[in-house]
Amino acid sequence: MPSARFPDLDGASVLITGGGSGIGAGFVEGFARQGARVAFFDIAEGPSRELCRKIEAEGFPAPLFVPVDLRDVEALRAGVTRAAQAHGPITVLVNNAALDDRHAVADVTPEYWDNNQNINLRPHFFSAQAVAPGMKAVGGGSIINITSTSWLINHPDLSSYTAAKAGIVGLTKGLAGELGPDNIRVNAVAPGWVLTERQKALWVTEERVAAHVARQSIKRPMEVEDIVGTVLFLASDASRMLSAQLLIVDGGYL
Ligand SMILES: NC(=O)c1ccc[n+]([C@@H]2O[C@H](COP(=O)([O-])OP(=O)(O)OC[C@H]3O[C@@H](n4cnc5c(N)ncnc54)[C@H](O)[C@@H]3O)[C@@H](O)[C@H]2O)c1
């Protein structure tokens, strides 16, 4: 985890979507280590509860796991209410959850497309909509939308996903313009290839990693921890005039 400390995150009410595993679990742990009061949504109950136990056992504030399927907008809204009741109005929202199942163009049905967008793009809008009034009431907040470099590198087998990920950048700009007068900052972070457990199980091979790292300026594979510091910085008042931006964290691949 990053060694930097952001004292204004101590006690902050933070909500992370898809925090049960992968990069999202890194965000949950990273914010908990700053002393933040962290709530997170996920559908993977086992890993989520295990993550809460691990963080508490390490002596940091126990996160609040709220089981929410982000495809259900009413459940998302109820989850935001529950998190705010437990920890106070949410001042940091990290829209992280995604589904990166591969899909060849020929195989995509309207149902597949809608399900994909309802995970990869729609919740980002509705969670921002749900937290904005609370942020406004306490004088501001920071919304961080996790996109991906996949839409910038013409990645095959992911066209619905890459459409959503590019859409997240447009959404970020639109939200930043509308919510900025209430001192709510909205930014996007695009990770390059991060070797999560899911990536290792499904797509990592020695050859693919070597080819990818060869194109990066920094010659080592990216781990979950490599994304956490950027998000902590964007959440903190260290970045208080930084809004409507896309930060690419890819080891210098692009
Ligand atoms: N891993 C990478 O190489 C990489 C690269 C670029 C961008 N990203 C982005 O980073 C973010 C995290 O990626 P990751 O690799 O950790 O993903 P992941 O698939 O490993 O984890 C996603 C989490 O979201 C949860 N989730 C999925 N559908 C959900 C739903 N309907 N409701 C609630 N929770 C749901 C999953 O259970 C899981 O815990 C994503 O936005 C992804 O697009 C990842």
Side-chain angles (χ1 to χ4, degrees):
M1 283 293 150
S3 56
R5 295 285 306 160
F6 297 94
D8 64 308
L9 296 180
D10 194 351
S13 175
V14 176
L15 175 62
I16 295 160
T17 71
S21 68
I23 299 171
F27 296 150
V28 171
E29 185 168 346
F31 278 102
R33 284 172 177 265
Q34 300 285 333
R37 289 169 291 174
V38 183
F40 68 98
F41 297 163
D42 212 295
I43 45 174
E45 300 224 1
S48 297
R49 296 199 190 284
E50 183 52 39
L51 177 67
C52 293
R53 279 193 289 272
K54 175 180 170 259
I55 290 171
E56 204 177 4
E58 288 168 354
F60 299 104
L64 171 68
F65 165 51
V66 186
V68 168
D69 186 331
L70 291 158
R71 292 171 292 189
D72 180 345
V73 174
E74 284 313 314
L76 182 163
R77 288 174 170 150
V80 168
T81 301
R82 192 173 154 205
Q85 279 168 350
H87 293 159
I90 291 152
T91 54
V92 177
L93 166 67
V94 185
N95 278 316
N96 163 78
L99 178 66
D100 63 354
D101 282 356
R102 278 20 180 191
H103 44 272
V105 169
D107 298 336
V108 172
T109 60
E111 293 74 28
Y112 184 95
W113 178 273
D114 287 346
N115 184 61
N116 194 275
Q117 298 296 312
N118 290 347
I119 297 169
N120 289 323
L121 181 59
R122 190 173 74 165
H124 299 60
F125 174 82
F126 285 103
S127 55
Q129 183 192 58
V131 301
M135 287 183 173
K136 180 180 177 180
V138 295
S142 176
I143 298 174
I144 300 147
N145 295 322
I146 308 301
T147 172
S148 162
T149 54
S150 54
W151 66 277
L152 291 160
I153 62 171
N154 309 337
H155 199 301
D157 300 325
L158 278 175
S159 52
S160 178
Y161 173 89
T162 52
K165 289 296 179 186
I168 285 173
V169 179
L171 177 66
T172 297
K173 304 285 283 181
L175 291 174
E178 184 162 338
L179 303 179
D182 294 323
N183 199 33
I184 299 170
R185 299 182 295 111
V186 191
N187 291 290
V189 173
W193 196 17
V194 180
L195 304 190
T196 60
E197 292 308 314
R198 174 176 162 86
Q199 297 293 317
K200 287 176 188 164
L202 293 175
W203 299 295
V204 166
T205 65
E206 219 172 287
E207 297 72 32
R208 283 183 189 157
V209 172
H212 197 89
V213 169
R215 256 196 72 168
Q216 290 178 192
S217 306
I218 298 168
K219 303 292 181 191
R220 65 171 176 79
M222 287 215 300
E223 307 293 340
V224 166
E225 290 75 13
D226 295 319
I227 311 298
V228 175
T230 302
V231 167
L232 295 176
F233 164 69
L234 287 174
S236 150
D237 62 10
S239 61
R240 66 188 182 184
M241 283 299 277
L242 202 168
S243 194
Q245 301 305 307
L246 167 64
L247 300 192
I248 294 174
V249 185
D250 69 350
Y253 183 97
L254 283 171

PDB file of all heavy atoms in Angstrom, residues 11-13 37 84 87-92 131-142 182-184:
ATOM      1  N   GLY A  11     -11.368   9.596   9.039  1.00  0.00           N
ATOM      2  CA  GLY A  11     -12.754   9.819   9.441  1.00  0.00           C
ATOM      3  C   GLY A  11     -13.697  10.129   8.288  1.00  0.00           C
ATOM      4  O   GLY A  11     -14.908  10.246   8.490  1.00  0.00           O
ATOM      5  N   ALA A  12     -13.168  10.277   7.058  1.00  0.00           N
ATOM      6  CA  ALA A  12     -14.025  10.594   5.911  1.00  0.00           C
ATOM      7  C   ALA A  12     -14.978   9.434   5.621  1.00  0.00           C
ATOM      8  O   ALA A  12     -14.631   8.267   5.808  1.00  0.00           O
ATOM      9  CB  ALA A  12     -13.165  10.875   4.680  1.00  0.00           C
ATOM     10  N   SER A  13     -16.176   9.773   5.160  1.00  0.00           N
ATOM     11  CA  SER A  13     -17.166   8.757   4.788  1.00  0.00           C
ATOM     12  C   SER A  13     -16.995   8.423   3.303  1.00  0.00           C
ATOM     13  O   SER A  13     -17.239   9.262   2.438  1.00  0.00           O
ATOM     14  CB  SER A  13     -18.580   9.284   5.065  1.00  0.00           C
ATOM     15  OG  SER A  13     -19.542   8.368   4.602  1.00  0.00           O
ATOM     16  N   ARG A  37     -13.913   6.005   7.168  1.00  0.00           N
ATOM     17  CA  ARG A  37     -15.052   5.107   7.414  1.00  0.00           C
ATOM     18  C   ARG A  37     -15.536   4.639   6.051  1.00  0.00           C
ATOM     19  O   ARG A  37     -16.134   5.405   5.298  1.00  0.00           O
ATOM     20  CB  ARG A  37     -16.152   5.851   8.178  1.00  0.00           C
ATOM     21  CG  ARG A  37     -15.752   6.138   9.635  1.00  0.00           C
ATOM     22  CD  ARG A  37     -16.694   7.076  10.302  1.00  0.00           C
ATOM     23  NE  ARG A  37     -16.577   8.408   9.730  1.00  0.00           N
ATOM     24  CZ  ARG A  37     -17.364   9.441  10.036  1.00  0.00           C
ATOM     25  NH1 ARG A  37     -18.334   9.283  10.916  1.00  0.00           N
ATOM     26  NH2 ARG A  37     -17.192  10.616   9.474  1.00  0.00           N
ATOM     27  N   ALA A  84     -24.706   6.083   4.328  1.00  0.00           N
ATOM     28  CA  ALA A  84     -24.692   7.439   4.893  1.00  0.00           C
ATOM     29  C   ALA A  84     -25.241   7.434   6.325  1.00  0.00           C
ATOM     30  O   ALA A  84     -24.761   8.188   7.176  1.00  0.00           O
ATOM     31  CB  ALA A  84     -25.505   8.377   4.002  1.00  0.00           C
ATOM     32  N   HIS A  87     -22.236   6.082   8.432  1.00  0.00           N
ATOM     33  CA  HIS A  87     -20.955   6.807   8.476  1.00  0.00           C
ATOM     34  C   HIS A  87     -21.071   8.315   8.287  1.00  0.00           C
ATOM     35  O   HIS A  87     -20.064   9.006   8.282  1.00  0.00           O
ATOM     36  CB  HIS A  87     -20.026   6.272   7.369  1.00  0.00           C
ATOM     37  CG  HIS A  87     -19.592   4.855   7.587  1.00  0.00           C
ATOM     38  ND1 HIS A  87     -19.134   4.055   6.568  1.00  0.00           N
ATOM     39  CD2 HIS A  87     -19.523   4.098   8.721  1.00  0.00           C
ATOM     40  CE1 HIS A  87     -18.812   2.859   7.048  1.00  0.00           C
ATOM     41  NE2 HIS A  87     -19.043   2.862   8.343  1.00  0.00           N
ATOM     42  N   GLY A  88     -22.296   8.831   8.097  1.00  0.00           N
ATOM     43  CA  GLY A  88     -22.455  10.252   7.765  1.00  0.00           C
ATOM     44  C   GLY A  88     -22.440  10.418   6.256  1.00  0.00           C
ATOM     45  O   GLY A  88     -22.073   9.483   5.517  1.00  0.00           O
ATOM     46  N   PRO A  89     -22.837  11.611   5.777  1.00  0.00           N
ATOM     47  CA  PRO A  89     -22.926  11.828   4.328  1.00  0.00           C
ATOM     48  C   PRO A  89     -21.628  11.421   3.619  1.00  0.00           C
ATOM     49  O   PRO A  89     -20.535  11.718   4.098  1.00  0.00           O
ATOM     50  CB  PRO A  89     -23.150  13.336   4.208  1.00  0.00           C
ATOM     51  CG  PRO A  89     -23.703  13.753   5.531  1.00  0.00           C
ATOM     52  CD  PRO A  89     -23.143  12.815   6.549  1.00  0.00           C
ATOM     53  N   ILE A  90     -21.792  10.737   2.506  1.00  0.00           N
ATOM     54  CA  ILE A  90     -20.617  10.242   1.768  1.00  0.00           C
ATOM     55  C   ILE A  90     -19.911  11.430   1.118  1.00  0.00           C
ATOM     56  O   ILE A  90     -20.539  12.213   0.403  1.00  0.00           O
ATOM     57  CB  ILE A  90     -21.073   9.206   0.730  1.00  0.00           C
ATOM     58  CG1 ILE A  90     -21.549   7.938   1.469  1.00  0.00           C
ATOM     59  CG2 ILE A  90     -19.969   8.869  -0.261  1.00  0.00           C
ATOM     60  CD1 ILE A  90     -22.582   7.164   0.731  1.00  0.00           C
ATOM     61  N   THR A  91     -18.622  11.566   1.374  1.00  0.00           N
ATOM     62  CA  THR A  91     -17.865  12.668   0.764  1.00  0.00           C
ATOM     63  C   THR A  91     -16.889  12.165  -0.301  1.00  0.00           C
ATOM     64  O   THR A  91     -16.331  12.970  -1.041  1.00  0.00           O
ATOM     65  CB  THR A  91     -17.106  13.486   1.828  1.00  0.00           C
ATOM     66  OG1 THR A  91     -16.304  12.601   2.598  1.00  0.00           O
ATOM     67  CG2 THR A  91     -18.073  14.226   2.737  1.00  0.00           C
ATOM     68  N   VAL A  92     -16.691  10.847  -0.345  1.00  0.00           N
ATOM     69  CA  VAL A  92     -15.845  10.258  -1.401  1.00  0.00           C
ATOM     70  C   VAL A  92     -16.587   9.061  -1.982  1.00  0.00           C
ATOM     71  O   VAL A  92     -16.960   8.136  -1.247  1.00  0.00           O
ATOM     72  CB  VAL A  92     -14.480   9.793  -0.849  1.00  0.00           C
ATOM     73  CG1 VAL A  92     -13.663   9.117  -1.962  1.00  0.00           C
ATOM     74  CG2 VAL A  92     -13.701  10.954  -0.230  1.00  0.00           C
ATOM     75  N   VAL A 131     -25.372  10.319  -4.237  1.00  0.00           N
ATOM     76  CA  VAL A 131     -24.512  10.916  -3.192  1.00  0.00           C
ATOM     77  C   VAL A 131     -24.436  12.439  -3.299  1.00  0.00           C
ATOM     78  O   VAL A 131     -24.059  13.109  -2.321  1.00  0.00           O
ATOM     79  CB  VAL A 131     -23.061  10.347  -3.209  1.00  0.00           C
ATOM     80  CG1 VAL A 131     -23.067   8.844  -3.004  1.00  0.00           C
ATOM     81  CG2 VAL A 131     -22.306  10.729  -4.478  1.00  0.00           C
ATOM     82  N   ALA A 132     -24.775  13.011  -4.458  1.00  0.00           N
ATOM     83  CA  ALA A 132     -24.553  14.450  -4.673  1.00  0.00           C
ATOM     84  C   ALA A 132     -25.259  15.344  -3.648  1.00  0.00           C
ATOM     85  O   ALA A 132     -24.634  16.286  -3.130  1.00  0.00           O
ATOM     86  CB  ALA A 132     -24.944  14.836  -6.104  1.00  0.00           C
ATOM     87  N   PRO A 133     -26.534  15.093  -3.289  1.00  0.00           N
ATOM     88  CA  PRO A 133     -27.180  15.999  -2.316  1.00  0.00           C
ATOM     89  C   PRO A 133     -26.461  16.010  -0.961  1.00  0.00           C
ATOM     90  O   PRO A 133     -26.312  17.069  -0.349  1.00  0.00           O
ATOM     91  CB  PRO A 133     -28.602  15.427  -2.191  1.00  0.00           C
ATOM     92  CG  PRO A 133     -28.818  14.664  -3.460  1.00  0.00           C
ATOM     93  CD  PRO A 133     -27.484  14.088  -3.825  1.00  0.00           C
ATOM     94  N   GLY A 134     -26.001  14.843  -0.511  1.00  0.00           N
ATOM     95  CA  GLY A 134     -25.279  14.784   0.771  1.00  0.00           C
ATOM     96  C   GLY A 134     -23.953  15.510   0.694  1.00  0.00           C
ATOM     97  O   GLY A 134     -23.555  16.213   1.633  1.00  0.00           O
ATOM     98  N   MET A 135     -23.248  15.357  -0.428  1.00  0.00           N
ATOM     99  CA  MET A 135     -21.975  16.073  -0.603  1.00  0.00           C
ATOM    100  C   MET A 135     -22.223  17.574  -0.574  1.00  0.00           C
ATOM    101  O   MET A 135     -21.511  18.336   0.094  1.00  0.00           O
ATOM    102  CB  MET A 135     -21.317  15.669  -1.928  1.00  0.00           C
ATOM    103  CG  MET A 135     -20.729  14.269  -1.921  1.00  0.00           C
ATOM    104  SD  MET A 135     -19.889  13.918  -3.482  1.00  0.00           S
ATOM    105  CE  MET A 135     -19.142  12.324  -3.120  1.00  0.00           C
ATOM    106  N   LYS A 136     -23.242  18.006  -1.306  1.00  0.00           N
ATOM    107  CA  LYS A 136     -23.568  19.447  -1.344  1.00  0.00           C
ATOM    108  C   LYS A 136     -23.856  19.962   0.069  1.00  0.00           C
ATOM    109  O   LYS A 136     -23.374  21.030   0.460  1.00  0.00           O
ATOM    110  CB  LYS A 136     -24.789  19.664  -2.254  1.00  0.00           C
ATOM    111  CG  LYS A 136     -25.205  21.106  -2.364  1.00  0.00           C
ATOM    112  CD  LYS A 136     -26.407  21.274  -3.277  1.00  0.00           C
ATOM    113  CE  LYS A 136     -26.845  22.736  -3.290  1.00  0.00           C
ATOM    114  NZ  LYS A 136     -28.001  22.967  -4.164  1.00  0.00           N
ATOM    115  N   ALA A 137     -24.614  19.172   0.837  1.00  0.00           N
ATOM    116  CA  ALA A 137     -25.021  19.614   2.181  1.00  0.00           C
ATOM    117  C   ALA A 137     -23.824  19.817   3.113  1.00  0.00           C
ATOM    118  O   ALA A 137     -23.873  20.653   4.008  1.00  0.00           O
ATOM    119  CB  ALA A 137     -25.994  18.598   2.785  1.00  0.00           C
ATOM    120  N   VAL A 138     -22.730  19.048   2.888  1.00  0.00           N
ATOM    121  CA  VAL A 138     -21.569  19.200   3.780  1.00  0.00           C
ATOM    122  C   VAL A 138     -20.436  20.006   3.124  1.00  0.00           C
ATOM    123  O   VAL A 138     -19.320  20.028   3.621  1.00  0.00           O
ATOM    124  CB  VAL A 138     -21.040  17.826   4.286  1.00  0.00           C
ATOM    125  CG1 VAL A 138     -22.090  17.155   5.160  1.00  0.00           C
ATOM    126  CG2 VAL A 138     -20.622  16.924   3.129  1.00  0.00           C
ATOM    127  N   GLY A 139     -20.733  20.639   1.997  1.00  0.00           N
ATOM    128  CA  GLY A 139     -19.759  21.568   1.420  1.00  0.00           C
ATOM    129  C   GLY A 139     -18.881  21.009   0.319  1.00  0.00           C
ATOM    130  O   GLY A 139     -17.966  21.685  -0.148  1.00  0.00           O
ATOM    131  N   GLY A 140     -19.146  19.771  -0.108  1.00  0.00           N
ATOM    132  CA  GLY A 140     -18.405  19.258  -1.265  1.00  0.00           C
ATOM    133  C   GLY A 140     -18.034  17.801  -1.143  1.00  0.00           C
ATOM    134  O   GLY A 140     -18.360  17.135  -0.153  1.00  0.00           O
ATOM    135  N   GLY A 141     -17.343  17.307  -2.158  1.00  0.00           N
ATOM    136  CA  GLY A 141     -16.935  15.902  -2.155  1.00  0.00           C
ATOM    137  C   GLY A 141     -16.117  15.588  -3.394  1.00  0.00           C
ATOM    138  O   GLY A 141     -15.850  16.468  -4.225  1.00  0.00           O
ATOM    139  N   SER A 142     -15.727  14.319  -3.486  1.00  0.00           N
ATOM    140  CA  SER A 142     -14.919  13.872  -4.618  1.00  0.00           C
ATOM    141  C   SER A 142     -15.488  12.566  -5.164  1.00  0.00           C
ATOM    142  O   SER A 142     -15.676  11.604  -4.402  1.00  0.00           O
ATOM    143  CB  SER A 142     -13.463  13.659  -4.168  1.00  0.00           C
ATOM    144  OG  SER A 142     -12.695  13.143  -5.236  1.00  0.00           O
ATOM    145  N   ASP A 182     -21.099  23.101  -6.608  1.00  0.00           N
ATOM    146  CA  ASP A 182     -21.321  22.645  -5.229  1.00  0.00           C
ATOM    147  C   ASP A 182     -20.036  22.094  -4.611  1.00  0.00           C
ATOM    148  O   ASP A 182     -20.073  21.389  -3.594  1.00  0.00           O
ATOM    149  CB  ASP A 182     -22.414  21.567  -5.191  1.00  0.00           C
ATOM    150  CG  ASP A 182     -23.766  22.130  -5.599  1.00  0.00           C
ATOM    151  OD1 ASP A 182     -24.049  23.289  -5.232  1.00  0.00           O
ATOM    152  OD2 ASP A 182     -24.528  21.429  -6.297  1.00  0.00           O
ATOM    153  N   ASN A 183     -18.908  22.413  -5.229  1.00  0.00           N
ATOM    154  CA  ASN A 183     -17.594  21.967  -4.736  1.00  0.00           C
ATOM    155  C   ASN A 183     -17.451  20.440  -4.749  1.00  0.00           C
ATOM    156  O   ASN A 183     -16.765  19.856  -3.919  1.00  0.00           O
ATOM    157  CB  ASN A 183     -17.313  22.526  -3.333  1.00  0.00           C
ATOM    158  CG  ASN A 183     -15.838  22.480  -2.987  1.00  0.00           C
ATOM    159  OD1 ASN A 183     -14.979  22.635  -3.868  1.00  0.00           O
ATOM    160  ND2 ASN A 183     -15.532  22.224  -1.729  1.00  0.00           N
ATOM    161  N   ILE A 184     -18.132  19.810  -5.711  1.00  0.00           N
ATOM    162  CA  ILE A 184     -17.984  18.363  -5.901  1.00  0.00           C
ATOM    163  C   ILE A 184     -17.078  18.153  -7.113  1.00  0.00           C
ATOM    164  O   ILE A 184     -17.406  18.604  -8.219  1.00  0.00           O
ATOM    165  CB  ILE A 184     -19.355  17.685  -6.118  1.00  0.00           C
ATOM    166  CG1 ILE A 184     -20.242  17.903  -4.891  1.00  0.00           C
ATOM    167  CG2 ILE A 184     -19.168  16.187  -6.414  1.00  0.00           C
ATOM    168  CD1 ILE A 184     -21.696  17.489  -5.094  1.00  0.00           C
TER     169      ILE A 184
END
